[in-house]
Amino acid sequence: MRKLLILAIALVAVAIPTAASARPAATKPTLVSITVVNGRPVGGIKRTTIKKGSTVRLVVRTNLGTEIHLHGYNLEKKVTKGTPTVLQFVAKVPGRFALELHPMDAQLAQLTVR
Ligand SMILES: [Cu+2]
């Protein structure tokens, strides 16, 4: 019984610093909002530079298409007509990445992570 109590205290001691260091990740995400009409992003391909390690929130509104696809990170999300599609991720990998609308493979955005 005493062993279990010691273990519980040890776990709490480990958990507290972890929770504290996790706090900066909760900062506001970088918002990239794109409206697509008939497979074309309004205002052209959105080019954004993102700080490595930050959270990115892609919001896509489109009247066509089945899914959005972020190349490199290989993230996909189904789109629904009339409902904004939200794709949120942490930009851990540096580089330049294309966001496409499938099945037409239309480029919507270019994200540069550095
Ligand atoms: Cu693609």
Side-chain angles (χ1 to χ4, degrees):
M1 199 60 180
R2 178 179 270 187
K3 241 182 198 168
L4 209 73
L5 184 69
I6 291 166
L7 183 67
I9 292 165
L11 282 174
V12 167
V14 169
I16 291 166
T18 305
S21 63
R23 210 166 286 155
T27 51
K28 250 169 98 182
T30 302
L31 183 71
V32 180
S33 190
I34 305 152
T35 301
V36 189
V37 178
N38 300 332
R40 287 186 178 205
V42 173
I45 294 166
K46 197 138 197 169
R47 292 168 208 276
T48 311
T49 300
I50 291 136
K51 202 177 166 205
K52 187 178 162 236
S54 66
T55 300
V56 183
R57 191 178 175 90
L58 302 169
V59 181
V60 179
R61 291 170 182 83
T62 178
N63 65 336
L64 290 177
T66 55
E67 62 182 16
I68 53 170
H69 177 207
L70 179 63
H71 286 235
Y73 282 80
N74 221 18
L75 297 170
E76 291 173 332
K77 192 95 182 241
K78 275 192 168 174
V79 299
T80 309
K81 202 174 143 185
T83 310
T85 303
V86 179
L87 178 58
Q88 191 166 312
F89 67 99
V90 178
K92 287 178 183 164
V93 183
R96 193 164 281 175
F97 308 98
L99 177 73
E100 279 186 352
L101 178 67
H102 288 183
M104 54 283 272
D105 296 343
Q107 191 175 349
L108 308 180
Q110 186 185 71
L111 307 180
T112 302
V113 179
R114 66 177 177 214

